[in-house]
C-alpha cells in the first residue's frame, strides 16, 4: 500500500507508514491490512484522509469512537492479559498437548 499511513490514537504525534503498522501488528499482508482497514472504516472506528500529490497518499486515524475503544475495553484487556496471560497460554498449551499426541 504505497502512500498509506496508519495513525495511533495520538494522530498528531505518532504516525507510521502501512509497513510499520503491519510490523507492529505482526506482519500482515497487504490484502489482510486492506480488509482490516475496510472493516474498521465500516464500523466507524477509523477515518480515511486522502491527499493529492505524486504519489497520492492516504492516512487512517482513529475516530473518537475508535479512541474510546482503545482507551477503554482494549486497555482493560491488555491489563488483564498482563496479569493472566501466562496462565492463559499455559492452559492453551495443556489443551493442545493431547491433540498433538493423538495425531502421532
Amino acid at each position: 500500500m504505497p502512500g498509506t499511513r496508519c495513525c495511533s490514537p495520538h494522530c498528531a504525534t505518532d504516525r507510521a507508514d502501512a509497513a510499520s503498522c503491519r510490523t507492529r501488528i505482526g506482519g500482515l499482508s497487504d490484502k489482510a491490512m486492506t480488509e482490516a482497514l475496510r472493516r474498521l472504516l465500516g464500523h466507524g472506528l477509523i477515518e480515511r484522509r486522502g491527499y493529492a500529490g505524486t504519489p497520492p497518499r492516504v492516512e487512517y486515524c482513529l475516530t473518537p469512537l475508535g479512541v474510546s475503544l482503545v482507551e477503554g475495553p482494549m486497555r482493560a484487556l491488555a491489563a488483564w492479559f498482563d496479569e493472566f496471560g501466562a496462565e492463559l497460554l499455559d492452559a492453551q498449551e495443556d489443551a493442545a498437548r493431547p491433540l498433538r499426541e493423538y495425531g502421532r
Side-chain angles (χ1 to χ4, degrees), residues 8 37-38 43 45 47 58 60 63 66 76 79 84 86 92 97-98 100:
S8 81
L37 289 170
R38 287 183 181 151
H43 292 296
L45 297 171
E47 64 182 30
V58 176
Y60 294 92
T63 62
F84 299 105
Q92 290 172 344
R97 190 172 295 116
R100 282 194 309 274

Side-chain angles (χ1 to χ4, degrees), residues 93-104:
E93 181 63 27
D94 290 346
R97 190 172 295 116
L99 296 174
R100 282 194 309 274
E101 291 170 2
Y102 179 77
R104 289 184 191 170

Side-chain angles (χ1 to χ4, degrees), residues 41-69:
L41 279 164
H43 292 296
L45 297 171
I46 62 172
E47 64 182 30
R48 181 183 189 273
R49 297 178 189 158
Y51 299 92
T54 305
R57 66 187 173 94
V58 176
E59 293 181 351
Y60 294 92
C61 288
L62 290 171
T63 62
L65 180 63
V67 171
S68 73
L69 176 66

Side-chain angles (χ1 to χ4, degrees), residues 9-65:
H10 309 288
C11 288
T13 59
D14 187 16
R15 295 181 177 200
D17 62 26
S20 297
C21 289
R22 284 193 306 271
T23 300
R24 283 182 184 171
I25 294 168
L28 294 174
S29 68
D30 281 345
K31 179 181 177 188
M33 181 77 157
T34 299
E35 290 171 354
L37 289 170
R38 287 183 181 151
R39 283 192 306 273
L40 293 168
L41 279 164
H43 292 296
L45 297 171
I46 62 172
E47 64 182 30
R48 181 183 189 273
R49 297 178 189 158
Y51 299 92
T54 305
R57 66 187 173 94
V58 176
E59 293 181 351
Y60 294 92
C61 288
L62 290 171
T63 62
L65 180 63

